[in-house]
Amino acid sequence: DGATVSWTEAGTATQWIVEYDTAGFTLGTGISQLLTSDTLVITGLEPNTPYDVYVRAYCGVSDSSTWLKGDFRTKCLPYTEDMLPYTETFEAYSASSSITSTINPCWTRWSTSTSTTTIYPYISTVTSNGASDKVMYMYGTTSIRSVLAMPAFDVELSTLQVEFDLVRTSTSGISPLLVGVMSDPEDLSTFDTLAIVTCSRQSTWERFEIPLVSYTGDGTYIAFVTPQGVASYNYIDDITVTTISECATPINVVASN
């Protein structure tokens, strides 16, 4: 894995010193290079790891600028078949709608909202049967779309299925949620819809099992997206990706007397 670091020279320097290492390292103990270009391509880094990088202009043995600090995180390695089933419960992360809140760094979330304080979708806390549970709140309106993309999978996606619990929080409307695949988790135009799911009742959790057998594209990110122009308010939880079983699990059992 790697990263590209660049900067803008503010004076007349033609050489720069760059030092980098894993986040929190002490200057003077990292990997240092003297460059004659304002761009450095770094390779051989650990995946899914935060790094700090420092740059300063070098104008001579006793004449250098102060350090300018930057940081980045390397990409996650894709999940392979031997790593399945893959499950995310969101329990390891704090419930918060703040723009500065964090989730699993291998996941991608964003929305078309212009809010500078609230991020969608976000982790929330619900109480079920007296127990507290972390869930992801998928928020969509007629003008706001939310995107939640899983880590990349280095597996033929048509051999996989995604399972999840879903509950509709709105008392009006059906709050549909799109399930599909993206080739770029940051670009909604790469999203291919494979299923549209809706909960039959408000405030009642339902388990869904979506085989990806019909997918023929080259995307690697399974994603959940709120639809265009439709209000959609759902909690999603206990997401699992596994290989498609020839013996499907029954869902939505209903009993009557």
Side-chain angles (χ1 to χ4, degrees):
D1 210 341
T4 299
V5 180
S6 61
W7 55 93
T8 300
E9 171 56 33
T12 59
T14 58
Q15 292 182 298
W16 301 269
I17 300 173
V18 178
E19 186 172 342
Y20 65 91
D21 212 327
T22 52
F25 82 95
T26 301
L27 267 171
T29 64
I31 302 168
S32 181
Q33 296 187 42
L34 177 63
L35 304 174
T36 56
S37 169
D38 59 4
T39 301
L40 173 64
V41 177
I42 306 173
T43 60
L45 302 177
E46 292 297 319
N48 188 26
T49 302
Y51 283 83
D52 289 339
V53 58
Y54 293 84
V55 180
R56 69 175 176 180
Y58 177 77
C59 301
V61 176
S62 59
D63 187 12
S64 297
S65 72
T66 56
W67 290 103
L68 176 66
K69 181 185 177 183
D71 60 75
F72 61 90
R73 176 183 285 273
T74 51
K75 292 182 179 180
C76 298
L77 291 178
Y79 283 82
T80 55
E81 188 170 4
D82 61 309
M83 301 167 73
L84 299 177
Y86 170 84
T87 298
E88 177 59 74
T89 65
F90 307 114
E91 293 299 321
Y93 306 93
S94 299
S96 174
S97 62
S98 170
I99 199 77
T100 60
S101 62
T102 59
I103 63 171
N104 185 325
C106 296
W107 287 60
T108 303
R109 60 163 174 175
W110 58 277
S111 77
T112 57
S113 169
T114 57
S115 173
T116 58
T117 58
T118 301
I119 188 170
Y120 299 109
Y122 62 81
I123 294 177
S124 183
T125 302
V126 299
T127 300
S128 178
N129 297 323
S132 180
D133 192 24
K134 301 281 184 60
V135 299
M136 185 66 75
Y137 182 39
M138 296 296 298
Y139 174 85
T141 68
T142 54
S143 60
I144 295 176
R145 302 190 71 181
S146 290
V147 177
L148 178 67
M150 301 184 71
F153 287 88
D154 187 15
V155 184
E156 185 66 42
L157 291 193
S158 62
T159 67
L160 303 181
Q161 65 185 25
V162 57
E163 305 169 20
F164 53 91
D165 292 332
L166 194 72
V167 62
R168 172 164 53 93
T169 65
S170 174
T171 57
S172 61
I174 60 174
S175 287
L177 184 67
L178 310 182
V179 184
V181 176
M182 305 179 79
S183 57
D184 180 353
E186 302 282 357
D187 185 354
L188 192 52
S189 69
T190 70
F191 179 71
D192 289 325
T193 302
L194 299 181
I196 303 174
V197 297
T198 58
C199 289
S200 59
R201 297 175 299 278
Q202 188 259 341
S203 299
T204 300
W205 285 97
E206 298 180 39
R207 187 73 176 172
F208 291 89
E209 185 178 286
I210 310 297
L212 308 181
V213 64
S214 63
Y215 186 66
T216 58
D218 57 2
T220 57
Y221 299 90
I222 300 170
F224 306 90
V225 179
T226 59
Q228 175 76 36
V230 179
S232 179
Y233 312 105
N234 293 284
Y235 289 136
I236 188 170
D237 196 16
D238 296 335
I239 303 172
T240 297
V241 174
T242 186
T243 53
I244 295 175
S245 172
E246 294 183 0
C247 186
T249 305
I251 61 174
N252 299 336
V253 176
V254 177
S256 62
N257 57 20

